[in-house]
Amino acid sequence: MRDPFYLTDDQRMIRDLARKISRDRLAPTAAHHDETESYPEESMRLLREQGLMGIWVPEEYGGTDLGALAVCLVAEEISWADAAMATNWGATPLGGYPILLAGNDEQKRRYLPRLASGEILAAYSLSEPGAGSDAAGLQTTARRQGDRYVLNGTKLWCSNGSNAGVITLFATVDRSKKARGITAFLIEPGFKGFSVGKKEKKMGIRASPTVALHLEDCEVPVENRLGEEGEGFKIAMRTLDYTRPMTGATAVGVAQAALDAAIAYAQERRQFDQPIAAFQGVQFMLADMAMHVHGARLMVHHVASLVDRGVTGAVLEASMAKCFAGDAAMKVATDAVQVFGGVGYTREFPVERFMRDAKIMQIYEGTNQIQRVIIARELLGA
């Protein structure tokens, strides 16, 4: 693919750095971490040492403030090597953006510099056993008692929750108010009454821990409330508008890796005395795969550029980019397995991992069915 003409020198530099790290250092260990479901500590340390943790953080808080498009470029490159690593890396901006968007000066000073340096990681906890797509239906409660809140409930599917130094967690101060009762809190793992629950055994992104969180009379200082009571749902949704382009970019990375593998294999594998790339049936598959990857990348870059230009209300574009890129990743990865044929179904080649990893792109940060609901609502002005 041609280098996008619209990238700045800084954006190209950070993309090229992420590309070199990902291909030289992350890709060779991806299969091992997938097989063992082990957390890639050394890889995360490498990203921290190379200054990639704080590219979304303003300079006044120790970051490099390279913007949403730079975040997407880095997410794609890391995901090309290992989508689980991209999920681990992306959990910090996902959990940290709420602080940037809604935190007060003290909260920003307390957390953002440590997130920018990689001293601590972040996570984002919205989902519950009975609240997935219906985020407003969460049941975890927060009751104020003097200078603290007492939280009770169970959260599920928290990416990187077992490794985070701060978790943006959502609870309700009044269940009867539904979305208007939801409030955001900044939870530290050492808080009394907080514990990490079971780690899920997953189909894909196995090197990214997905855990349950338990709050049993968990005591949270009032100064760790993010925004005002009842503003949590708005904070949660605004954050996702910022991070859905990053999720789309993660999907693009998986799709590009699958396409690259399929092209290389089609040129190498011979049947009927010629490479299978010579057959029009395979050529058409590769052409369709390339169009999906390219289209998804352009949609992701478009919405990220809108964010960087300060455009508000890019809900439609964010949902379209996330949805299209997630569907593209699943199609391209599935077709890559087909190009590989029988060996594609084995663990000898990485395309089966790409296919497993791609599936989550249609599910997390809002299922693609929910994205279609949002897209239709925005189109119809509902």
Side-chain angles (χ1 to χ4, degrees):
M1 297 293 180
R2 291 189 176 92
D3 196 19
F5 68 89
Y6 45 80
L7 298 184
T8 66
D9 289 343
D10 284 344
Q11 289 165 344
R12 285 192 175 88
M13 179 188 67
I14 201 69
R15 180 204 60 190
D16 291 347
L17 173 62
R19 179 173 294 175
K20 180 171 176 55
I21 293 170
S22 297
R23 302 196 179 198
D24 293 350
R25 302 287 296 277
L26 305 186
T29 64
H32 166 75
H33 288 300
D34 175 73
E35 183 71 24
T36 59
E37 301 190 30
S38 55
Y39 189 76
E41 294 277 4
E42 183 177 341
S43 296
M44 291 298 293
R45 182 166 58 251
L46 178 63
L47 297 181
R48 180 180 71 239
E49 292 170 350
Q50 294 297 317
L52 293 176
M53 299 306 297
I55 63 173
W56 58 278
V57 178
E59 292 182 6
E60 64 184 298
Y61 299 109
T64 50
D65 199 19
L66 292 178
L69 181 51
V71 168
C72 289
L73 294 170
V74 172
E76 178 183 337
E77 295 301 331
I78 297 175
S79 188
W80 183 95
D82 186 350
M85 267 297 302
T87 302
N88 292 336
W89 176 82
T92 289
L94 176 59
Y97 265 123
I99 303 173
L100 185 60
L101 295 172
N104 56 40
D105 288 341
E106 193 279 329
Q107 290 168 336
K108 291 178 181 178
R109 287 194 302 270
R110 193 190 333 163
Y111 292 110
L112 291 180
R114 290 190 288 161
L115 292 173
S117 68
E119 176 189 342
I120 61 172
L121 304 175
Y124 177 97
S125 181
L126 180 62
S127 297
E128 294 183 3
S133 295
D134 180 16
L138 61 82
Q139 298 295 301
T140 296
T141 60
R143 185 179 72 259
R144 184 162 180 173
Q145 291 186 347
D147 63 352
R148 62 194 59 242
Y149 285 85
V150 177
L151 274 61
N152 282 281
T154 296
K155 311 296 285 188
L156 288 186
W157 308 309
C158 182
S159 295
N160 210 46
S162 52
N163 296 83
V166 61
I167 301 168
T168 300
L169 184 144
F170 299 88
T172 180
V173 296
D174 187 342
R175 289 176 181 169
S176 68
K177 292 183 177 180
K178 296 187 176 179
R180 290 189 296 275
I182 295 174
T183 304
F185 297 91
L186 299 174
I187 307 295
E188 297 182 17
F191 284 176
K192 179 182 177 182
F194 172 86
S195 62
V196 175
K198 77 166 183 173
K199 176 184 171 184
E200 303 291 348
K201 296 184 72 65
K202 305 191 302 292
M203 175 192 295
I205 57 168
R206 292 174 176 172
S208 177
T210 304
V211 298
L213 306 176
H214 300 298
L215 304 116
E216 298 179 12
D217 292 331
C218 178
E219 298 181 5
V220 181
V222 169
E223 58 263 31
N224 276 53
R225 185 188 69 213
L226 193 59
E228 299 299 323
E229 287 190 1
E231 291 184 349
F233 190 77
K234 180 175 67 176
I235 294 169
M237 296 302 106
R238 188 179 176 202
T239 298
L240 294 178
D241 289 340
Y242 273 76
T243 58
R244 278 176 179 148
M246 178 179 68
T247 305
T250 303
V252 172
V254 175
Q256 184 68 61
L259 173 60
D260 291 346
I263 292 171
Y265 187 77
Q267 292 173 316
E268 173 188 309
R269 171 67 167 167
R270 297 184 65 85
Q271 291 287 277
F272 305 101
D273 297 322
Q274 58 185 322
I276 63 171
F279 296 107
Q280 193 175 65
V282 173
Q283 291 174 358
F284 281 9
M285 287 181 69
L286 295 174
D288 286 342
M289 293 161 71
M291 287 189 287
H292 278 83
V293 174
H294 191 57
R297 181 180 291 112
L298 291 177
M299 290 182 75
V300 166
H301 287 191
H302 172 67
V303 68
S305 297
L306 292 178
V307 173
D308 284 342
R309 293 202 301 272
V311 174
T312 58
V315 177
L316 174 66
E317 292 86 353
S319 286
M320 288 197 299
K322 190 273 179 187
C323 185
F324 187 86
D327 286 350
M330 193 69 236
K331 173 176 173 47
V332 172
T334 303
D335 285 350
V337 173
Q338 191 70 22
V339 170
F340 273 71
V343 296
Y345 201 68
T346 72
R347 295 184 187 178
E348 183 178 351
F349 292 91
V351 287
E352 61 86 27
R353 171 166 56 86
F354 299 154
M355 182 176 172
R356 289 186 286 106
D357 288 347
K359 186 58 197 172
I360 194 61
M361 309 300 166
Q362 296 178 304
I363 298 173
Y364 66 5
E365 288 211 35
T367 67
N368 281 9
Q369 285 70 35
I370 288 293
Q371 301 310 318
R372 286 173 167 84
V373 170
I374 295 170
I375 292 165
R377 184 186 66 201
E378 292 295 313
L379 291 174
L380 299 170

